[in-house]
Amino acid sequence: MAVVIAALLPVFILIVLGIVLKRSLMRLDTQWHGLEQLTYFVLFPMLLIQTLVKADLSKVPVAGVGGALLLSALAMSLLCLALRPALSRLGIDGPAFTSIFQGATRWQTFVALSIAANLFGDVGLALASVAMVAIIPLVNVFSVSVLARYASPEKQSGRAIVMTLVRNPLIWACIIGLTVNVTHLPLPRLWHEVADALGSSSLAIGLLVTGAGLHLEGLFRPSLGAAVGVAFKLLLMPALAMGLGLWFGLSGNSLAIVAICSAVPTSSSAYVLARQMGGDAPLLAQIITLQTIFAAITMPIAIGLAA
């Protein structure tokens, strides 16, 4: 439990620091917009590429871990879409629904990697990297499609949605990283030094941006949308993933990695995507913050049940 809390506490501190900076040193929205662009198009994609490039995928149960997480993300996505009419009747509009969707399906990659490494070393990193390949492309395709459908005031054409997906840097990052890994393409030392430097800064800046967009009053009076996003991600998603993991025959470290990856809070890059495509960014910031707080309780339970 101490390891989980140690990995989550810096995340929350960075969000709080973003709140402070937005109200003191960096008050202009243009400043934060630049950081959003930098995180979304450069820093976080570089983290994904570099982690996949370094991962040893030959020593891990790719089918079991990847399959359990892929199917759980798919099931949660379909459940959210099925509940869209009911949520609409409860006063949750299109942009708010996209934030619930992202909050329920996406995951904080860096936190998962940190916890996996702290608990299981290099094997944990390799298993978590399999999770990245399984989850990130799917949830990004779904997230972009849902944002294009429900956050835009005008219905977008199929071609417009496809082009939005094609331009998504996170999907390309997964493709590039996995291709380099599988083909064993040699990369110079200079590449690794630059990529490590850029990737290591992605989480911190992304969380600062998240904090800057946070509405503090929402923490004390969580909206219905925030409550749904927290419950779906921290309770239902781990239950689905671990159940599927058991069905795939996983146990020990492999099942624990499935629990970690499914139980972490939503990715800070989801907030950037919401800002980019017209989602309810303040609601998503509230969901991320609440998930970060409550994950300190739910994650140790999920990992304990899987171990």
Side-chain angles (χ1 to χ4, degrees), residues 89-114:
R89 289 192 292 271
L90 294 174
I92 295 175
D93 60 14
F97 170 72
T98 65
S99 292
I100 293 174
F101 184 92
Q102 288 207 88
T105 59
R106 301 188 66 159
W107 64 302
Q108 182 55 269
T109 307
F110 195 84
V111 173
L113 290 173
S114 298

Side-chain angles (χ1 to χ4, degrees), residues 79-204:
L79 175 62
C80 289
L81 291 172
L83 292 176
R84 167 61 185 146
L87 294 172
S88 179
R89 289 192 292 271
L90 294 174
I92 295 175
D93 60 14
F97 170 72
T98 65
S99 292
I100 293 174
F101 184 92
Q102 288 207 88
T105 59
R106 301 188 66 159
W107 64 302
Q108 182 55 269
T109 307
F110 195 84
V111 173
L113 290 173
S114 298
I115 297 173
N118 287 339
L119 290 177
F120 307 114
D122 291 340
V123 174
L125 280 176
L127 287 166
S129 297
V130 170
M132 292 172 60
V133 175
I135 296 179
I136 289 178
L138 175 70
V139 299
N140 272 278
V141 168
F142 276 16
S143 294
V144 170
S145 300
V146 167
L147 279 159
R149 171 65 178 84
Y150 294 104
S152 176
E154 298 180 0
K155 185 176 180 179
Q156 297 192 25
S157 65
R159 182 179 182 277
I161 294 176
V162 171
M163 290 307 298
T164 301
L165 293 171
V166 169
R167 291 192 296 265
N168 188 295
L170 304 185
I171 294 176
W172 280 108
C174 287
I175 294 173
I176 293 170
L178 185 59
T179 300
V180 173
N181 185 300
V182 172
T183 60
H184 303 288
L185 181 68
L187 297 174
R189 179 179 177 182
L190 179 62
W191 159 269
H192 291 291
E193 292 176 348
V194 173
D196 287 339
L198 291 173
S200 63
S201 64
S202 63
L203 176 65

Side-chain angles (χ1 to χ4, degrees), residues 27 108 292 306:
R27 297 183 179 182
Q108 182 55 269
T292 302

Side-chain angles (χ1 to χ4, degrees), residues 16-27 32 208 212:
V16 173
L17 181 57
I19 298 171
V20 174
L21 291 175
K22 181 64 169 68
R23 287 154 180 78
S24 57
L25 186 62
M26 300 173 62
R27 297 183 179 182
W32 294 103
L208 290 176

